[in-house]
Amino acid sequence: MPPPLRLGMITPSSNTVLEPMTAALLAGTPHVSSHSARIRVTSISMAGGSTAQFDTAPMREAASLLADAKVGAICWNGTSAGWLGPDRDRAILAEVTAETGIPATSAVLDTLAALRLLEAPGFGLVTPYVADVQDRVRANFEDEGFACVADRRLDITDNFAFAEVPEATVERMIREVAEDGADAIVVLCTNLRGARLAERLEAELGITLLDSVSVALWGAIRAAGGDPSAIRGWGRLFELA
């Protein structure tokens, strides 16, 4: 068996999908383990109180606790940089690595990396968010070189409620975006149930599905020097070199 690979995940406090879904993703790779530290996140909007949840201080504190577990990489397993801008994650993660000496990544930065590897000219977007948050996500991804060609949203602000959205609803949204012409589809939220849909819908619809929980794990493994292709049965993402 390969040597143990421990991954540190900074997790939104009200998230109940991320950890069990990550455990399911790792069921076939017992040498890889995921370890969480939480920061308080309860609502998603463009209001000042919501955006302040993602300040540097709680991220650094969570990262320092994960460092005690001697993890090989630290991942901000949330998607706030989607609407606050990828440079926000780049700055925070640079501080995390400077303080801990551990490589750091995030769900949003890894989504951008996956889109680059796919050489995707555009993408489809599925989220639980409200309109102004969605608009910022579209604009920020376009600034990074990826135009949103189709999107769907659920207009929810309560982070805990995202996990209560049925998987069938997520599947319907993905199908609608695919029908609108998107080949690469991003399910942007680590508290939404999209990961289990990848293998089946990719085969049926001819798409590549980038679910945030899967993408964060893929990116964390890469950052830690591991091989994501050991994860099988969860879609094309894990085949991207």
Side-chain angles (χ1 to χ4, degrees):
M1 182 176 293
L5 184 64
R6 293 177 294 275
L7 306 173
M9 301 295 185
I10 302 175
T11 302
S13 61
S14 53
N15 190 314
T16 60
V17 167
L18 189 165
E19 290 149 318
M21 194 67 75
T22 300
L25 282 153
L26 291 175
T29 52
H31 67 289
V32 184
S33 59
S34 175
H35 308 273
S36 294
R38 293 186 173 238
I39 65 168
R40 188 170 302 283
V41 177
T42 58
S43 66
I44 302 300
S45 73
M46 295 306 298
S50 178
T51 60
Q53 298 171 122
F54 309 106
D55 287 347
T56 304
M59 296 275 194
R60 290 177 60 177
E61 174 63 18
S64 70
L65 295 173
L66 290 168
D68 291 346
K70 302 190 186 306
V71 295
I74 294 172
C75 177
W76 161 223
N77 212 320
T79 53
S80 56
W83 56 94
L84 298 179
D87 283 345
R88 181 79 164 258
D89 273 9
R90 292 182 180 115
I92 290 172
L93 297 176
E95 290 190 31
V96 165
T97 296
E99 184 168 312
T100 65
I102 298 171
T105 188
S106 77
V108 168
L109 296 183
D110 291 327
T111 299
L112 294 170
L115 288 171
R116 291 188 187 99
L117 286 172
L118 288 169
E119 298 182 344
F123 72 102
L125 179 64
V126 170
T127 84
Y129 306 135
V130 293
D132 57 350
V133 172
Q134 189 98 332
D135 289 345
R136 290 308 309 153
V137 172
R138 290 168 56 104
N140 286 326
F141 272 65
E142 186 165 358
D143 287 345
E144 294 287 328
F146 302 105
C148 180
V149 300
D151 69 317
R152 296 292 188 279
R153 66 178 193 271
L154 291 171
D155 291 315
I156 303 171
T157 58
D158 178 26
N159 194 73
F160 179 83
F162 298 162
E164 298 183 317
V165 175
E167 190 175 84
T169 299
V170 181
E171 177 172 345
R172 173 182 57 77
M173 297 166 74
I174 293 168
R175 288 183 178 277
E176 290 174 357
V177 170
E179 288 173 3
D180 286 348
D183 295 325
I185 298 178
V186 175
V187 178
L188 191 74
C189 177
T190 61
N191 205 22
L192 208 58
R193 303 179 191 279
R196 293 187 189 277
L197 299 169
E199 188 90 340
R200 175 168 58 85
L201 293 186
E202 286 180 343
E204 179 184 343
L205 303 176
I207 62 171
T208 299
L209 184 61
L210 302 178
D211 169 79
S212 290
V213 175
S214 296
V215 170
L217 178 60
W218 172 80
I221 293 173
R222 282 162 46 97
D227 180 7
S229 68
I231 297 176
R232 301 181 182 277
W234 291 85
R236 297 173 182 164
L237 168 68
F238 294 98
E239 300 169 6
L240 291 178

